[in-house]
Amino acid sequence: MRHLRVPNRAVEDVLVVLRDRGWLATGMRVIPDEDGEHRLVPIDLGAPIEMTSPLDGHQIVQHEGTFDNRVDSDWWNHLALLVDKDEIEAFGEDWPSSHEFISDMMVVRIEAILEPYSSRIAEAKLRAHPHIRLVLNDEGVQGELRIRKLTPIGARVGGEIVTDNIPESACSTRVLVRESGRSIACDPNKAYFSTKLQSERLETLSLSKELRAVIGRPINVCDPFCGVGPALATLLSEPELVNHALASDLNPEAVTLLLDNLRRWDRRDYPPEPSPISRIFEDRIIGIADASRLREHDSLVGLWDLVIVNLPHRTIEFLPSLVPLLDMSTPSLVRGRVVVSESEILDANEEIKRSLPKLLQDFHEPSLKIKRDYSSTLRLCSFEAWIAPQ
Ligand SMILES: C[S@@+](CC[C@H](N)C(=O)[O-])C[C@H]1O[C@@H](n2cnc3c(N)ncnc32)[C@H](O)[C@@H]1O
C-alpha cells in the first residue's frame, strides 16, 4: 500500500491535511520507517496518484500496510458479545480477522467450518464498521471470466442490522470505488475487480512513463483482458501518456461497466450497451473479444506499444497469440501477471522469453517477481518484458 514518508516532527501536520482531504487510509496504522527519523503514513486508495501542496514535498513509498489493532479488536469485541469465549478460542485463527473493503461493502472469506457462524460474523463486522452497508462471504473466483461468488450474509437496512432474509434491495453489489483520484464502477458479482491491485497498476503507470520516454511520444495501449478497466483508469489519469487505447474482455458485463467508466474518465459519449470489439472513436477500440483471436483482425495488429496481459492462470499460454499486436517499429512493452508455483518460476521465466520476440538491450530480462501468495504452493507474480524493434 502507498505511504507518505514524513519526518517524525511533521507527522501531526500531515495527518491533519490528509484527514481533511479524505486521503488518510482508515483502519491502518502510521508505522516507523527503518531510519528512525521518518514515519510512513498510510494513504487511502482513493487519493490521487500525485500529492499536491503542502504534501508534495514528501516521498511516496510502497510498504505493506499494518492494520490498526484498535479497529480489529473492535470486531473481536463485538464477536465476543455474540459467541461464547470457548467457541471463539476453539476456532482460533480460522475466524476471518481480515477483510476487503469495496466501497461500502465488506468481503470476508469464511472457512467452511465456520459457516454456522456466518450471521454472527456479519453482525460483528457491521457493528465494528458503521460505514459498511453489506457484508459478503467470498466463495472464491470461478470460471474463465474470473468472477467471484459473493453471498450476502449481513446488511444494514434502515439503520438496523439484518442477517436473515436480507431484502433483495439491500444486496446490490454495483458500487463506485475511488482509486487514484478516479471513480471506478464495478460489480464484483458480475465482473472481476480487486482493490488489492492498486500498487500493480501504479507500477504499470511508472513503466508506461518510462516507455513514453524511450519512444519519445505518447503510447498506444492494448488491454485485452481489461475487466471493468482499472488499468486504463490509472494510465488515462496521466496527461499526454495514452494516445490510442484498445480495451476488450470476453465478459459482456465487464464491458458494460467499462463503457460506463470510460464515459466518465474520457468525458465522451460511449454507447450504453456492449458490442463486439469495434472502433468507437478514432483513438478508442472497445468491446467484447476473445483476446486469443484479436490477431485475426488485420486492423488491430502491429499497433500497440504496451500490451497488458492480466489473466494470471493463462498468461504464458496466451503470450504467443498476443505478440502480433505489438508495434515492432519501435521498442514496446509487455506487462503480465502469472500464477505459478515457486519451484517453477525459473522455467516460467524461460517460457516467457521463448514466447516473445527479441528483447531490448540494456533493459532487464523478464523475470517473475512474487507479489503475494495465491495458495499454500502457488504465487501470484508479475513481469515486464521490453521488446526490441525488429
Ligand atoms: C484477472 S481478470 C483481470 C481484469 C482486469 N484487467 C483487472 O485488473 O481488474 C481477467 C479478465 O480476463 C477476462 N477473460 C478471460 N478469458 C478471456 C479471453 N479469452 N479473452 C478476453 N478476456 C478474457 C475475464 O473476463 C476477466 O475480466
Side-chain angles (χ1 to χ4, degrees):
M1 124 171 260
R2 290 187 305 157
H3 290 74
L4 210 53
R5 186 168 176 271
V6 180
N8 291 339
R9 64 187 150 65
V11 170
E12 283 311 316
D13 291 345
V14 164
L15 282 173
V16 169
V17 180
L18 285 174
R19 257 190 222 113
D20 197 40
R21 295 184 182 177
W23 295 351
L24 183 66
T26 49
M28 307 305 288
R29 280 180 47 197
V30 175
I31 44 185
D33 189 22
E34 282 171 353
D35 69 356
E37 290 174 11
H38 291 78
R39 287 182 178 262
L40 305 181
V41 183
I43 302 176
D44 188 76
L45 288 176
I49 294 170
E50 311 270 351
M51 293 282 122
T52 46
S53 173
L55 304 170
D56 47 353
H58 303 296
Q59 189 190 359
I60 295 180
V61 295
Q62 291 287 348
H63 194 285
E64 195 168 336
T66 307
F67 282 106
D68 187 334
N69 287 330
R70 286 164 303 178
V71 174
D72 266 358
S73 65
D74 271 355
W75 118 265
W76 287 111
N77 289 342
H78 292 294
L79 189 70
L81 298 174
L82 301 166
V83 178
D84 280 351
K85 193 167 164 257
D86 295 348
E87 285 172 284
I88 293 184
E89 275 170 15
F91 293 107
E93 299 206 340
D94 288 335
W95 292 102
S97 53
S98 65
H99 41 249
E100 179 183 359
F101 291 115
I102 306 181
S103 184
D104 62 354
M105 305 187 296
M106 177 193 277
V107 176
V108 290
R109 190 176 284 248
I110 298 180
E111 301 288 340
I113 196 175
L114 280 172
E115 259 166 35
Y117 296 88
S118 293
S119 298
R120 281 171 280 176
I121 291 171
E123 180 157 357
K125 296 275 186 188
L126 283 160
R127 284 191 195 176
H129 298 276
H131 66 289
I132 288 298
R133 170 183 57 89
L134 183 63
V135 181
L136 299 146
N137 182 19
D138 186 353
E139 293 173 37
V141 172
Q142 299 181 331
E144 186 68 345
L145 302 182
R146 317 305 298 155
I147 302 172
R148 286 202 254 186
K149 183 163 180 340
L150 297 172
T151 311
I153 54 170
R156 207 178 299 279
V157 183
E160 299 291 315
I161 291 176
V162 178
T163 54
D164 286 324
N165 301 320
I166 305 170
E168 196 68 31
S169 57
C171 294
S172 169
T173 46
R174 189 192 156 117
V175 289
L176 272 182
V177 173
R178 291 287 296 169
E179 183 181 294
S180 304
R182 297 244 163 186
S183 306
I184 303 174
C186 66
D187 185 339
N189 255 330
K190 293 196 169 149
Y192 178 93
F193 178 77
S194 172
T195 56
K196 293 183 184 161
L197 298 184
Q198 190 196 27
S199 55
E200 200 64 24
R201 298 191 257 273
L202 291 172
E203 267 181 39
T204 304
L205 172 65
S206 124
L207 287 162
S208 302
K209 290 196 213 169
E210 202 178 337
L211 178 62
R212 171 176 61 183
V214 168
I215 58 182
R217 56 166 170 78
I219 61 172
N220 299 321
V221 177
C222 173
D223 188 359
F225 305 92
C226 67
V228 305
L232 273 184
T234 311
L235 298 180
L236 289 173
S237 64
E238 169 72 17
E240 310 286 310
L241 178 63
V242 177
N243 183 14
H244 287 247
L246 179 155
S248 58
D249 199 284
L250 201 53
N251 178 359
E253 303 268 20
V255 177
T256 305
L257 287 154
L258 168 76
L259 290 166
D260 188 32
N261 283 323
L262 284 169
R263 207 171 297 126
R264 269 174 292 108
W265 303 336
D266 251 356
R267 295 204 181 83
R268 286 192 258 183
D269 199 11
Y270 282 86
E273 299 296 331
S275 53
I277 190 161
S278 64
R279 191 177 291 275
I280 293 189
F281 297 107
E282 198 267 326
D283 57 350
R284 297 286 182 265
I285 299 173
I286 311 291
I288 306 162
D290 178 344
S292 66
R293 305 194 59 182
L294 289 175
R295 63 179 165 172
E296 294 169 17
H297 301 249
D298 288 345
S299 60
L300 303 182
V301 301
L303 289 184
W304 308 101
D305 303 307
L306 167 66
V307 175
I308 302 172
V309 193
N310 188 358
L311 187 62
H313 288 88
R314 298 185 63 197
T315 288
I316 296 181
E317 169 195 339
F318 269 86
L319 274 184
S321 64
L322 298 170
V323 165
L325 302 173
L326 291 168
D327 178 350
M328 297 300 230
S329 62
T330 45
S332 53
L333 182 64
V334 177
R335 168 90 167 135
R337 288 164 62 72
V338 178
V339 167
V340 68
S341 71
E342 210 162 331
S343 59
E344 286 171 0
I345 287 183
L346 292 180
D347 289 346
N349 286 341
E350 290 309 310
E351 184 66 33
I352 291 169
K353 278 186 257 172
R354 269 198 299 276
S355 306
L356 292 172
K358 206 163 139 241
L359 298 169
L360 194 59
Q361 273 188 356
D362 302 331
F363 281 74
H364 288 296
E365 289 198 341
S367 163
L368 290 174
K369 293 183 204 78
I370 299 176
K371 292 305 174 79
R372 60 184 155 93
D373 291 350
Y374 186 81
S375 68
S376 55
T377 52
L378 296 174
R379 305 287 169 260
L380 194 48
C381 306
S382 61
F383 72 91
E384 62 270 1
W386 292 87
I387 313 291
Q390 315 285 310

